[in-house]
């Protein structure tokens, strides 16, 4: 008996490769009658929206933004103190530059040490990475009435770039102290803004206040949330109960409630000579709120670390604390990057809530300018809201992109 | 090597005993995982533990380095009595290396950092010294060239060899292997077993839970057959191949050989 070899010729599916963009369009957008209808309808809608947007952009009067730009950026900060936010901007540009350059140099050294390929970051890559922010700065500068802000911004950019290259050429032994330099620069920034008989946080406003509340909120809430998450898993019943109670209480209350409590209850309870300023109380409320959410995000990450990791660490004799610090937390935090950045993005947008307490942050500023006698009743909300929306979108979108970048980069060691 | 003891008894060890279990019981809820285990392992002895899954083999060796806490009885490792004292537990863990079925390498650290972590943190070794030691251990398991890679970039067999190097870097007196080749593709089993055989011939005291009878035949001094939480039969590898006594042993061997 002979066994016939089956022939599978017919089972080969003919996949015709697409030839050119026109071919792709025909295959994917016009391959049957309902796709054709949908394509045409969507194209019509798109063209209509684009035309409407273009007509609005050309026709709209942006005078309201031009006049109030300073209010949007720094709130009611006195005009004769304007040098303070500018000096702060320079210091922050240097801070970002030095830290960025030093990190890049460390990454390069590590890659060289490990014999892995390392490609230098090109100028184009930097542009494509930060284009939303660069575009936003250009848009904002387009609204300025004098040349000074543009020149000062260029100076800040030059300082940042200079600091970046300085950070890159620093020898290793010096680079180890970059964090100290960063701390020094942060203190200097604070002094520039509030030192030398200057004004306190309470005088801040506009975008500056939103950014401050976001960055300070993250920096304080993150370690606090980490401790709460660890406390929730603690073997000590007292620590565990306190952590769980705190987390569940705060998560059961809207942020506005905490802000109101910070504004009124805290102000009422504490005597006036120890009572912190208004913005400080807002920061406390935001931090306490965020810490509870970050704790839950971290808890999710801790649960994602397999049990075998702890056992392997125990088996080589690592004490519990070292195991947590060097084995569990690095893996847990990496797993939480998407959720954590999501939390940071919503914190950035939630900072607008302090406006209900009469603090002139960006969103509030874009509202109140519509009551100015020059612009009253002209329906310019759409202009000012579009501006605020653009600023928040750029911030959130950049965070989201950076998060994805970080995930990818840390993905090297994935199992 | 001179044979001094009768291998048919689990409580007999060749030479000086380094691990001793007396009347050890272990419960998971109502389920008794270990029933009245008595066992001694001598210095430089290689003991292979075989038996059906759920029979208590893994629990047995996990009790020896306190990944599981035994409920009754005594476990003494190198003269240290395992009690609830954290210092005792740490001391025992420093003396015993363990290799897991699922490798459990630290995925966020390079191979080199995986191996140097414990010597640096537990033995307070300087970075340079620890790295030299790690390279020595990686050479011993024949993968020094992979030192800068991450575990995720290695094959299963390579990962398991790194895990062995990581355990060896603490210079333990005893090595525990919990089914080290069960998660490996067949073509990678040999490279791991080769390393283990060399280790055994080099005089390491080992307890190995495995079904690789070729390994047992090559280097085991004794084979322990466990089922339902009890030690059913003990003997030389030769005894198990030629003359198993218990019905359960015969049934099990007929399934794996």
């Amino acid at each position: 008996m002979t066994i016939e070899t089956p022939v599978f010729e017919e089972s080969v599916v003919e996949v015709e490769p697409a030839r050119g963009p026109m071919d792709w369009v025909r295959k994917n957008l016009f391959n049957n009658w309902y796709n054709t209808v949908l394509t045409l309808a969507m194209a019509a809608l798109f063209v209509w929206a684009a035309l409407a947007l273009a007509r609005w952009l050309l026709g709209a009067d942006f005078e309201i933004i031009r006049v109030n730009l300073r209010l949007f950026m720094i709130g009611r900060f006195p005009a004769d103190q304007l040098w303070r936010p500018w000096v702060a901007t320079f210091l922050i540009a240097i801070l970002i530059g030095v830290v960025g350059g030093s990190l890049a140099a460390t990454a390069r050294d590590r890659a060289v040490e490990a014999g892995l390929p390392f490609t230098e970051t090109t100028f184009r890559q930097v542009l494509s990475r930060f284009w939303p922010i660069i575009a936003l700065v250009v848009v904002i500068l387009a609204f300025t009435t004098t040349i000074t802000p543009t020149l000062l911004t260029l100076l800040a950019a030059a300082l940042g770039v200079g600091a970046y290259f300085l950070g890159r050429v620093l020898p290793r032994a010096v680079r180890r102290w970059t964090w100290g330099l960063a701390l020094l620069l942060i203190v200097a920034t604070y002094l520039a803004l509030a030192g030398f008989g200057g004004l306190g946080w309470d005088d801040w406003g506009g975008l500056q206040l939103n950014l401050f509340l976001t960055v300070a909120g993250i920096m304080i809430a993150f370690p606090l949330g980490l401790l709460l998450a660890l406390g929730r898993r603690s073997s000590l019943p007292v620590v565990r109960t306190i952590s769980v109670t705190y987390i569940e209480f705060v998560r059961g209350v809207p942020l506005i409630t905490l802000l109101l409590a910070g504004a009124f209850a805290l102000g009422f309870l504490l005597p006036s000579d120890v009572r912190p300023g208004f913005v400080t109380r807002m920061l406390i409320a935001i931090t306490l709120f965020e810490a509870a959410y970050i704790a839950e995000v971290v808890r999710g990450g801790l649960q994602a670390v397999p049990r075998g990791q702890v056992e392997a660490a125990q088996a080589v004799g690592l004490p519990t604390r070292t195991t947590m610090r060097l084995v569990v937390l690095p893996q847990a935090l990496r797993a939480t990057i998407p959720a954590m950045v999501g939390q940071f993005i919503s914190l950035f947008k939630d900072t607008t809530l302090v406006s209900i307490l009469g603090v002139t942050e960006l969103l509030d500023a874009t509202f109140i300018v519509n009551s100015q006698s020059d612009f009253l009743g002209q329906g310019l909300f759409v202009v000012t809201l579009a501006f605020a929306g653009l600023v928040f979108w750029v911030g959130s979108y950049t965070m989201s992109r950076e998060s994805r970048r970080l995930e990818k980069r840390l993905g090297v060691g994935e199992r | 090597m001179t044979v001094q003891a009768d291998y048919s008894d689990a409580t007999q060890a060749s030479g000086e005993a380094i691990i001793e279990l007396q009347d050890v019981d272990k419960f998971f809820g109502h389920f008794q995982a270990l029933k009245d285990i008595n066992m001694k392992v001598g210095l430089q002895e290689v003991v292979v533990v075989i038996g059906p899954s759920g029979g208590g083999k893994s629990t047995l060796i996990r009790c020896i380095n306190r990944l599981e806490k035994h409920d009754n009885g005594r476990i003494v490792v190198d003269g240290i009595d395992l009690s609830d004292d954290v210092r005792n537990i740490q001391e025992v863990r420093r003396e015993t290396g363990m290799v897991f079925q699922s490798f459990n390498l630290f995925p966020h650290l390079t191979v080199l950092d995986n191996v140097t972590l414990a010597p640096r943190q537990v033995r307070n070794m300087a970075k340079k010294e620890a790295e030299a030691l790690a390279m020595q251990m990686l050479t011993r398991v024949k993968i020094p060239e992979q030192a800068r890679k991450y575990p995720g970039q290695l094959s299963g067999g390579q990962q398991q060899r790194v895990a062995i190097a990581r355990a060896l870097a603490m210079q333990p007196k005893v090595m525990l292997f919990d089914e080290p080749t069960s998660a490996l593709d067949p073509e990678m089993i040999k490279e791991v077993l080769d390393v283990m055989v060399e280790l055994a011939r080099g005089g390491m005291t080992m307890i190995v839970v495995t079904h690789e009878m070729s390994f047992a035949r090559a280097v085991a001094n004794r084979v322990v057959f466990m089922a339902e939480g009890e030690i059913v039969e003990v003997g030389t590898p030769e005894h198990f191949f030629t003359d198993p006594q218990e019905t359960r042993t015969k049934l099990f061997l007929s399934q794996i050989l």
Side-chain angles (χ1 to χ4, degrees), chain B residues 67-106:
Chain B
L67 288 182
E68 305 286 356
K69 184 175 179 290
H70 61 281
D71 294 302
N72 298 312
R74 259 182 95 200
I75 299 179
V76 183
V77 180
D78 194 29
I80 307 155
D81 202 337
L82 263 178
S83 62
D84 284 334
D85 191 336
V86 181
R87 274 169 306 174
N88 271 358
I89 297 172
Q90 289 297 105
E91 217 170 311
V92 166
R93 283 177 180 163
R94 279 199 292 266
E95 304 300 333
T96 53
M98 187 163 200
V99 176
F100 301 85
Q101 180 178 353
S102 49
F103 326 140
N104 293 347
L105 291 177
F106 307 130

Side-chain angles (χ1 to χ4, degrees), chain B residues 21-48:
Chain B
L21 288 87
Q22 282 176 13
D23 311 322
V24 172
D25 290 328
K26 168 70 191 166
F27 293 88
F28 291 111
H30 291 294
F31 175 73
Q32 188 165 6
L34 294 179
K35 291 177 195 164
D36 197 23
I37 300 288
N38 284 287
M39 188 174 166
K40 272 185 193 168
V41 178
L43 202 61
Q44 303 201 330
E45 193 182 10
V46 176
V47 174
V48 166

Side-chain angles (χ1 to χ4, degrees), chain A residues 181-202:
Chain A
L181 182 63
L183 212 64
L184 214 67
L185 281 167
I186 290 172
V187 172
T189 308
Y190 175 79
L191 286 178
L193 282 168
F196 317 111
L199 307 129
W201 296 349
D202 283 353

Side-chain angles (χ1 to χ4, degrees), chain B residues 232-234 239-240 242-250 253:
Chain B
V232 177
E233 192 164 350
V234 181
H239 163 84
F240 275 84
T242 55
D243 186 29
Q245 297 298 309
E246 302 283 331
T247 329
R248 279 189 289 184
T249 316
K250 285 177 195 160
L253 287 171

